[in-house]
Amino acid sequence: MSNQLMGVINLIHEPDELEALTAGRCVATVPFGGRYRLIDFTLSSMVNSGISKVAVFAHTKYRSLMDHLGSGRHWDLHHRQSGLFVLPPVADDMSDLRKGDLYHFFQHRDYFKRSQAEYVVVTRSHMLCNIDFTQVLAEHLEKNADITVVCKQQNDHLSGKARKVKLGEAGRVVDMQDHYGRLQSDIVSMEMYVMKKELLLDLVESSLAQGKDHLVRDAIMSKIDELNIHAYLYEGYLGIINTITSYYRNSMELLKPDVWKGLFFEPGPIYTKVKDEPPATYLEGAKTSNSLVANGCIIEGTVINSILFRGVHIRKGAVVRNSIIMQNGIIGEGSAIDHVIFDKEVQIETGRDIRGAADAPFIAIKRKVI
């Protein structure tokens, strides 16, 4: 069944309030969980569901995306009969970049037409989950739906922003808010849509002919009464990461073993670009508790309730609490940090004291020296 599905990861105008974390990269390549990027979760879910052709519609700041994805080898998408395609925007000027996703789908319509797959799943990268798309397709066919929207019943979004959905009888979508309006519902859209490829291409052409170019607002929401739009209710872990607070809170959820296990291994493993590093080294005086520590770290101080990416060095007497320190960060001797997010290669000098709060973590941009 999975070879009937082609994958589209849509990064056009992806919602982004991640401030310093997306100053030089797109949402899809924001580092997460010690050694991963956000796009790894959607991409791995597709591969584990047997989807062998995936297109990533890049938009802006995609240099790190190209570097991370490469040939698709780490996701086993580099064989002749399968493929990972990164499709940059076809833009003559800045006004083309401002156009919606349907415009960019239209520019690459040959990609869709060349695929043998009958169905397409269109996703975003900021929805953190591990999902089996073959089950979504099976329910799509069983309900004879025109479009299936993957949804989750969830009251606490850990400060992420999501589109709410209202369901009628038999799981039919009867209302869907535009962005983050006032719809009263505890069901949110995971921004994953399954439909026939032909229907998607029809929606692209008919919407653009009317001067409208947004997939959800113009092609799906406006046809709620005409089309049979069905909700597939996902049961697993969902993190919605499009604000700094949601990034911080979902990262801290990983310190719960059941969340870690469910997100990274069920129903299949999450893959990422592999980098060879030696194991973490704990020197005399090192103390760690309830933390994720990646390979290549050197710990001489104390780490509590924190996430350390590859190659982080915690020097003697330094205390790190409730914090996220990305690749190659250095925390100087005797420094104390609490509730912070440090991007790659941040250096903290000797004896510094830096504190944020759970709902407003202190953020340091890449390569900053404090």
Side-chain angles (χ1 to χ4, degrees):
M1 185 184 283
S2 52
N3 59 5
Q4 293 178 270
L5 258 181
M6 62 186 294
V8 170
I9 302 176
N10 175 16
L11 308 183
I12 311 290
H13 299 299
E14 187 151 33
D16 169 18
E17 293 176 29
L18 287 166
E19 302 166 27
L21 295 184
T22 46
R25 59 168 81 91
C26 58
V27 176
T29 51
V30 169
F32 185 80
R35 62 198 269 284
Y36 299 86
R37 307 284 184 131
L38 290 183
I39 196 170
D40 292 340
F41 294 86
T42 308
L43 193 51
S44 299
S45 291
M46 288 182 175
V47 170
N48 291 334
S49 303
I51 296 172
S52 59
K53 279 197 169 53
V54 179
V56 179
F57 277 80
H59 192 218
T60 55
K61 297 181 283 196
Y62 54 82
R63 189 178 64 83
S64 65
L65 180 76
M66 307 286 278
D67 176 57
H68 180 66
L69 296 177
S71 66
R73 179 171 63 87
H74 298 288
W75 297 268
D76 205 30
L77 284 172
H78 61 304
H79 302 296
R80 185 179 291 173
Q81 67 273 26
S82 60
L84 176 67
F85 301 84
V86 180
L87 304 175
V90 180
D92 295 328
D93 54 38
M94 284 306 291
S95 66
D96 283 349
L97 271 181
R98 285 194 286 272
K99 290 177 179 171
D101 41 15
L102 295 183
Y103 170 79
H104 296 282
F105 288 179
F106 183 75
Q107 297 299 322
H108 290 289
R109 60 195 179 281
D110 286 356
Y111 167 76
F112 290 99
K113 286 176 178 169
R114 280 202 303 269
S115 169
Q116 302 292 310
E118 190 179 355
Y119 294 90
V120 59
V121 54
V122 182
T123 71
R124 292 293 205 174
S125 74
H126 68 285
M127 293 287 174
L128 189 75
C129 63
N130 191 340
I131 182 170
D132 182 355
F133 289 113
T134 58
Q135 292 183 3
V136 184
L137 180 59
E139 191 167 306
H140 176 82
L141 298 172
E142 183 195 326
K143 300 289 182 185
N144 200 25
D146 294 313
I147 300 173
T148 293
V149 187
V150 180
C151 297
K152 168 88 176 167
Q153 192 161 9
Q154 186 160 309
N155 282 314
D156 183 5
H157 308 138
L158 298 180
S159 307
K161 294 184 175 180
R163 187 192 308 276
K164 288 182 178 171
V165 174
K166 197 169 182 182
L167 304 185
E169 290 176 17
R172 182 168 176 156
V173 175
V174 294
D175 200 359
M176 190 187 270
Q177 71 188 160
D178 190 12
H179 292 304
Y180 320 119
R182 293 207 175 100
L183 188 64
Q184 293 297 309
S185 173
D186 62 350
I187 293 171
V188 296
S189 165
M190 290 169 58
E191 304 298 338
M192 297 175 174
Y193 305 94
V194 171
M195 66 190 89
K196 275 194 168 168
K197 184 178 69 179
E198 291 307 319
L199 174 60
L200 177 63
L201 291 172
D202 284 350
L203 291 172
V204 168
E205 291 187 13
S206 60
S207 299
L208 289 176
Q210 296 166 16
K212 296 177 173 178
D213 59 4
H214 286 274
L215 172 68
V216 181
R217 183 192 313 147
D218 301 325
I220 296 176
M221 287 172 57
S222 66
K223 298 200 167 40
I224 273 181
D225 297 331
E226 295 168 44
L227 296 174
N228 177 14
I229 302 177
H230 173 76
Y232 172 92
L233 287 175
Y234 167 70
E235 298 285 330
Y237 182 84
L238 170 66
I240 301 162
I241 298 186
N242 48 14
T243 65
I244 284 292
T245 313
S246 64
Y247 175 83
Y248 178 80
R249 291 182 66 189
N250 279 288
S251 294
M252 289 298 140
E253 287 288 296
L254 298 181
L255 300 177
K256 298 175 181 172
D258 56 330
V259 171
W260 169 266
K261 186 163 173 274
L263 185 57
F264 284 94
F265 301 103
E266 297 162 6
I270 301 299
Y271 306 101
T272 190
K273 182 180 177 181
V274 176
K275 290 182 179 162
D276 294 325
E277 300 260 3
T281 306
Y282 298 84
L283 301 178
E284 194 179 338
K287 292 185 187 128
T288 58
S289 71
N290 196 41
S291 296
L292 285 178
V293 178
N295 288 352
C297 290
I298 300 171
I299 298 177
E300 301 176 76
T302 301
V303 180
I304 299 165
N305 213 45
S306 295
I307 297 172
L308 307 187
F309 283 68
R310 287 183 274 242
V312 170
H313 190 164
I314 310 296
R315 295 216 160 115
K316 209 173 273 186
V319 179
V320 176
R321 294 174 191 273
N322 310 309
S323 295
I324 301 162
I325 302 174
M326 294 184 197
Q327 210 165 316
N328 299 329
I330 298 172
I331 309 300
E333 273 189 40
S335 288
I337 63 172
D338 192 357
H339 289 101
V340 305
I341 301 171
F342 289 162
D343 208 330
K344 290 181 174 184
E345 295 170 29
V346 169
Q347 288 192 42
I348 306 302
E349 296 186 341
T350 303
R352 296 283 189 263
D353 190 342
I354 302 165
R355 293 168 197 275
D359 53 355
F362 177 92
I363 302 175
I365 59 170
K366 200 187 273 194
R367 301 192 184 92
K368 189 175 176 72
V369 178
I370 300 176

